Amino acid sequence: MTLGFDRPLYLLPFDHRESFESGLFGLKPPLSPEQVASVTAAKRLVYDGFQAAVAGGVPREPAAILVDEQFGADLLRDAASQGIMTACPAEKSGQAEFTFEYGEDFARHIETFAPTFCKVLVRYNPAGDKAMNRRQANRLRRLSEYLRGTERKLLFELLVPAEPAELEQLGGDPRVYDLARRPRHMVNAILELQEAGVEPDVWKVEGLDRAEDCANVVEAARRNGRDRVACIVLGRGADLKRVSSWLTTAAGVPGFVGFAVGRSTFWDALFEWRHHRLTRDAAVAQIARRYREWADIFELTPGSAAHAAHLTRRALRRWENEGGRL
């Protein structure tokens, strides 16, 4: 199996579990069947927004969903039946240290849904707890080797939170950390994980403000023959202006092939729908519109992985509209 994924990827992640349960519905496990149904209905609404966006013009080929099997099993099956790329999380939600959601049974769950990607969310600061980093790397290497052996792809969501001492040195300002420390930590985390035997096909990374930092991340991800390994940008639940800025910066850097923006896409709509201030149809339309906005950034940025394909599709549509005449 060739390592990597070298084509556009527009991922809508709504695999959040703890934040849906507690943040959106104010629930605490164990959930009753009625409560499970409520969370499942919210996930269905997000999925309908995704489908509306694809129906409205977001290219089908790079479109993908990331959703958990607990609340989204039917959505995973439906997307797969339509030829839509899917991703499932392997990590236990809301944990500071990566552990498998289903323990030793992780492989069976992956095989049940056969997603395009198996996704892990990992908090890994190279300047942080070395023992915890080693424990995480050992678990992740096991998953990586299993996926290579079964010819499945690994989507690695890398979060690099500031250590308290670091943040104190920087005056307690997270924005200073994001500019002065996090880019280098991201590169070092990628290098350390590779050396530990963890081989993602796609790195899902926090947004960066400078194109040179994006290029450094790609260089690390693709070193030593990993030429097809790709990077995508996550949203961190940030406001629309910041997300747009991160995506625009990354879109012009070869190796960044798309995005994985979740809460910034759907949270406002779900919250308003949940509190009866927005109809379901209006919530679906808002999610579709925001997802389309992120896709358009990559489609319309010259030099992006998707721009040439966008121009080809546009030319083909013009040709078809003109009756097939050159």
Side-chain angles (χ1 to χ4, degrees):
M1 179 182 180
T2 303
L3 182 67
F5 184 86
D6 61 354
R7 56 192 177 93
L9 178 59
Y10 303 160
L11 187 66
L12 179 54
F14 52 112
D15 60 320
H16 314 70
R17 283 144 281 165
E18 185 181 47
S19 59
F20 264 73
E21 293 170 5
S22 61
L24 187 62
F25 288 95
L27 305 175
K28 292 183 179 180
L31 272 56
S32 69
E34 293 78 12
Q35 291 169 333
V36 169
S38 294
V39 178
T40 300
K43 301 252 179 173
R44 167 63 72 173
L45 192 158
V46 177
Y47 180 62
D48 288 350
F50 167 85
Q51 288 189 305
V54 172
V58 171
R60 172 176 288 269
E61 294 78 12
I65 64 166
L66 165 57
V67 66
D68 56 290
E69 67 175 85
Q70 181 182 1
F71 300 113
D74 289 344
L75 309 181
L76 288 166
R77 295 187 183 99
D78 185 76
S81 73
Q82 297 182 45
I84 296 291
M85 291 187 291
T86 61
C88 285
E91 80 280 351
K92 186 173 291 187
S93 181
Q95 305 298 305
E97 179 174 346
F98 170 79
T99 55
F100 288 105
E101 171 73 12
Y102 298 104
E104 292 300 308
D105 207 22
F106 71 88
R108 183 178 67 83
H109 285 264
I110 294 170
E111 294 301 322
T112 296
F113 290 93
T116 313
F117 300 96
C118 175
K119 168 259 183 181
V120 292
L121 183 154
V122 182
R123 294 172 176 85
Y124 190 108
N125 185 329
D129 186 330
K130 300 296 184 184
M132 184 178 77
N133 286 348
R134 283 194 297 271
R135 290 194 301 270
Q136 294 191 112
N138 287 336
R139 297 181 192 121
L140 292 160
R141 180 179 65 248
R142 182 181 175 194
L143 176 63
S144 179
E145 291 173 349
Y146 160 75
L147 293 171
R148 295 270 80 73
T150 57
E151 299 193 347
R152 302 198 185 283
K153 294 195 176 293
L154 175 59
L155 171 65
F156 195 110
E157 179 175 349
L158 175 64
L159 302 182
V160 188
E163 288 294 304
E166 287 186 294
L167 205 53
E168 185 177 350
Q169 291 171 4
L170 298 171
D173 189 340
R175 292 298 299 271
V176 175
Y177 169 77
D178 282 346
L179 286 170
R181 296 282 180 90
R182 181 165 60 82
R184 175 47 53 185
H185 282 341
M186 292 167 71
V187 168
N188 288 337
I190 290 171
L191 300 180
E192 287 185 11
L193 287 160
Q194 289 171 340
E195 290 299 319
V198 183
E199 296 289 355
D201 297 275
V202 177
W203 291 93
K204 178 184 175 193
V205 299
E206 297 169 275
L208 294 160
D209 294 299
R210 297 178 295 230
E212 57 265 36
D213 291 328
C214 292
N216 290 337
V217 167
V218 171
E219 182 181 5
R222 290 187 162 180
R223 73 187 183 109
N224 295 344
R226 300 174 177 89
D227 300 334
R228 296 179 71 250
V229 171
C231 299
I232 60 176
V233 184
L234 60 88
R236 297 175 72 181
D239 63 69
L240 306 187
K241 183 178 179 180
R242 290 201 76 193
V243 174
S244 294
S245 176
W246 290 330
L247 268 58
T248 300
T249 300
V253 176
F256 272 89
V257 302
F259 60 87
V261 180
R263 288 172 296 162
S264 302
T265 305
F266 63 72
W267 192 263
D268 290 347
L270 281 186
F271 188 85
E272 295 299 303
W273 166 75
R274 170 82 176 85
H275 291 87
H276 310 291
R277 293 193 290 264
L278 204 61
T279 67
R280 191 183 191 283
D281 287 348
V284 166
Q286 181 172 309
I287 291 167
R289 183 169 59 255
R290 289 195 179 174
Y291 178 72
R292 175 65 182 268
E293 288 173 4
W294 314 138
D296 282 347
I297 289 173
F298 275 83
E299 293 284 301
L300 302 177
T301 298
S304 74
H307 188 242
H310 167 76
L311 293 178
T312 300
R313 284 193 299 271
R314 189 171 67 179
L316 180 59
R317 285 195 299 270
R318 185 184 303 119
W319 182 76
E320 291 171 343
N321 291 336
E322 293 175 357
R325 297 187 303 274
L326 292 176

